[in-house]
Amino acid sequence: MKKKMLLLNTTVLLGLGGVLSTPAYASTIQDMESQKSQLQNQRQDVQSNIKAASDELTSLQAEQDQMKAQLERLTIAEEENNKKAQQTEADIKETSKQVEQLEKEIKLLQEKLEKRNDILKDRARSLQESGGNVEYLQVLLGSSSFSDFVDRALAVSTIVDADRGILKETKNMQDELKTKQADVKSKLASLEDMKAELDEMTVQLATQKKQKDALAKELKDKEAKNEELKASLQAKDSSLANEQSTLEQNIKDQKAAEEAARKAAEQAAKEAAKKAAEQAQKAAAAPAEKADSSSAKAEASKASNNDVAPTSAPAPKASNVVTVGNRWIGNSAYVFGGGRSQSDISRGLFDCSSFVHWAYSQVGVNLGPLGSVSTETLKHAGTQVSSSQMQPGDLVFFDTYKKDGHVGIYVGGGKFIGAQSSTGVAIANMSSGYWKQKFNGRVIRI
């Protein structure tokens, strides 16, 4: 672009040099008409350069419009991802509180169970000393753990009612303890996933901000060059227009002067003819009329030749899933949880799983409810095949911030298309580098 602009500016300056070196006045209309023709030719060359520059500016404007749209998408993506990061941080804090509370409850239950254990041991010992039921003692002696003892003891039909009540309460406490421990384990796993996702978002937010800043600077630079080129071309065209206007005025003035001289000569000739009319009125009048007629015809012919008007110029198929997403390359941005509404889709805001869902919907394949689509739902949406049998259109999975944390559509040649967190929708190479390291071998055929 810079070279084109330099070439255009140089050409225009050369054109101007020719104009400015031309004398502003010539002695005859013929000379001035010739000078005017040269000036018009020079201006036509400049106008041709201006048209070429205008075409280039139109192309640049289209590029600028595309850059502005992408900048807006990145701004929206940055805002949405910041909200998601803040929400995730809040979720982490809330889940941490829940885990802490559950751990307190588990500790209390464990303390209660220990006390119940001591009570049951004392009651069993008392029963033995008083010659109690042998079956009860065998249950106690044969159990492998306290929990096993409780389960065995509840099966003994000869236990006194008081003992049975204690045992049932103890069993309920044990069950509650197991439930809370399982709940804590699940929440801790969820917490780990949320923390990993937050770390991933933090990295990608920094990347998106750099991309946005770089794009904004590039747009500003191009706009400045655009304005500079416009101003330069307009100044040169204005200068040429002034030269042409001055020359046309000189021609007009010269024609007026010649017309005045012609009329004066005609008047003088009439007066002389009048004086000679008495000697040879008829002989003198005829040549004069002929001369007048010839002169008028010549002038009319000349005017007619000068006023000649210019002549007018003559008067989905499923296999397309690997390419439908190409329209979003360079026109999209990655948003965590994005792409699950028509508003997001129309603005090109996707995450990896919503992009896959959208791409397949474009070729008539429904991959389930859009609102709940995720890498987890997509890996169960078709049939798993060996990575050695991978073909275009298959879903490929990657272990990023978690197992199967990213998904894309294989396009062939060791590449896949997907909504990448750093670039938006793009085609990436999975046969080398980062994505090769992250590919976990899971391939799903829809």
Side-chain angles (χ1 to χ4, degrees):
M1 174 65 188
K2 186 175 181 181
K3 289 183 178 179
K4 288 183 180 179
M5 290 169 61
L6 181 60
L7 178 60
L8 288 170
N9 290 342
T10 303
T11 306
V12 174
L13 284 173
L14 288 174
L16 270 180
V19 174
L20 295 176
S21 64
T22 304
Y25 174 78
S27 58
T28 68
I29 290 179
Q30 183 177 0
D31 291 340
M32 285 191 287
E33 290 288 0
S34 175
Q35 182 179 338
K36 177 182 176 181
S37 177
Q38 293 176 8
L39 180 61
Q40 287 175 331
N41 290 337
Q42 291 170 356
R43 193 176 181 196
Q44 284 176 357
D45 290 340
V46 174
Q47 290 289 349
S48 176
N49 289 330
I50 290 176
K51 183 180 183 306
S54 296
D55 292 342
E56 190 65 30
L57 290 174
T58 300
S59 175
L60 176 60
Q61 186 61 52
E63 183 182 350
Q64 287 176 318
D65 291 343
Q66 186 175 358
M67 290 172 64
K68 286 179 180 177
Q70 181 65 2
L71 192 59
E72 289 176 3
R73 274 188 288 270
L74 288 174
T75 300
I76 294 171
E78 185 178 24
E79 292 173 354
E80 292 299 322
N81 288 335
N82 270 319
K83 290 178 183 177
K84 178 67 174 176
Q86 292 169 2
Q87 183 59 50
T88 302
E89 286 180 342
D91 291 343
I92 288 173
K93 289 180 181 178
E94 179 60 29
T95 304
S96 298
K97 289 179 181 178
Q98 292 175 5
V99 169
E100 185 179 349
Q101 180 61 32
L102 284 171
E103 287 175 341
K104 289 179 180 178
E105 293 173 3
I106 288 171
K107 185 178 179 181
L108 288 173
L109 280 171
Q110 287 173 334
E111 291 175 354
K112 289 181 180 179
L113 284 171
E114 287 176 4
K115 292 178 180 178
R116 290 298 177 96
N117 188 15
D118 292 339
I119 291 171
L120 289 171
K121 283 181 179 179
D122 289 341
R123 295 186 69 81
R125 192 177 297 111
S126 298
L127 184 62
Q128 181 182 16
E129 291 172 354
S130 61
N133 187 276
V134 175
E135 186 181 3
Y136 192 8
L137 297 177
Q138 289 175 341
V139 166
L140 177 61
L141 295 174
S143 59
S144 59
S145 66
F146 177 64
S147 178
D148 184 36
F149 164 71
V150 172
D151 290 337
R152 287 168 173 260
L154 283 171
V156 177
S157 59
T158 57
I159 301 174
V160 295
D161 291 341
D163 288 352
R164 185 175 296 279
I166 293 174
L167 286 168
K168 284 184 177 179
E169 289 179 3
T170 303
K171 175 64 175 175
N172 291 338
M173 290 171 65
Q174 286 179 327
D175 292 341
E176 184 181 359
L177 177 61
K178 288 179 182 178
T179 300
K180 289 183 181 293
Q181 286 174 331
D183 196 12
V184 166
K185 185 177 180 180
S186 173
K187 288 186 180 297
L188 285 173
S190 173
L191 195 59
E192 290 301 318
D193 284 347
M194 283 191 288
K195 286 181 178 179
E197 185 179 17
L198 180 59
D199 291 341
E200 177 79 3
M201 281 191 284
T202 302
V203 172
Q204 296 309 326
L205 279 171
T207 302
Q208 283 185 333
K209 188 176 186 308
K210 287 181 180 179
Q211 184 183 2
K212 176 186 168 185
D213 292 345
L215 192 60
K217 184 179 183 303
E218 183 181 357
L219 179 60
K220 186 176 180 181
D221 291 344
K222 287 194 174 186
E223 286 177 338
K225 288 179 181 179
N226 189 345
E227 292 303 321
E228 181 183 353
L229 181 57
K230 279 183 181 178
S232 174
L233 289 171
Q234 288 169 352
K236 286 163 186 158
D237 188 50
S238 176
S239 177
L240 283 171
N242 288 336
E243 286 291 324
Q244 184 173 337
S245 177
T246 299
L247 187 57
E248 288 174 347
Q249 184 61 45
N250 288 341
I251 292 173
K252 183 178 179 181
D253 293 344
Q254 185 68 12
K255 283 184 176 181
E258 288 189 3
E259 179 66 13
R262 186 186 67 78
K263 287 181 178 180
E266 285 182 351
Q267 184 64 31
K270 286 179 180 180
E271 291 176 357
K274 186 176 180 180
K275 289 178 181 180
E278 294 177 359
Q279 290 94 15
Q281 182 177 1
K282 187 174 181 179
E289 289 175 1
K290 185 175 180 181
D292 290 344
S293 176
S294 299
S295 176
K297 287 181 180 178
E299 289 297 328
S301 175
K302 183 176 180 181
S304 176
N305 289 337
N306 287 338
D307 295 336
V308 174
T311 57
S312 1
K317 295 180 180 179
S319 59
N320 293 337
V321 72
V322 299
T323 57
V324 292
N326 290 349
R327 60 170 288 197
W328 294 116
I329 295 176
N331 299 309
S332 57
Y334 185 93
V335 173
F336 287 91
R340 286 163 180 79
S341 68
Q342 190 54 48
S343 174
D344 278 0
I345 292 172
S346 63
R347 293 180 294 174
L349 305 178
F350 296 97
D351 65 9
C352 61
S353 52
S354 65
F355 170 74
V356 168
H357 188 285
W358 172 85
Y360 267 93
S361 72
Q362 299 307 293
V363 296
V365 178
N366 186 355
L367 296 182
L370 175 60
S372 58
V373 66
S374 67
T375 53
E376 284 298 312
T377 64
L378 290 176
K379 73 182 184 182
H380 300 297
T383 304
Q384 185 165 353
V385 297
S386 169
S387 59
S388 62
Q389 298 176 329
M390 189 163 48
Q391 64 186 31
D394 289 343
L395 303 188
V396 286
F397 290 78
F398 305 84
D399 292 343
T400 50
Y401 69 94
K402 67 175 183 177
K403 179 72 174 174
D404 297 316
H406 189 69
V407 64
I409 301 171
Y410 186 64
V411 299
K415 296 180 179 179
F416 76 99
I417 186 171
Q420 326 298 8
S421 55
S422 58
T423 60
V425 175
I427 294 176
N429 189 351
M430 58 183 288
S431 59
S432 64
Y434 175 82
W435 292 112
K436 180 180 180 180
Q437 296 173 3
K438 297 298 182 180
F439 179 51
N440 62 17
R442 186 188 297 280
V443 179
I444 299 296
R445 184 159 298 160
I446 302 300

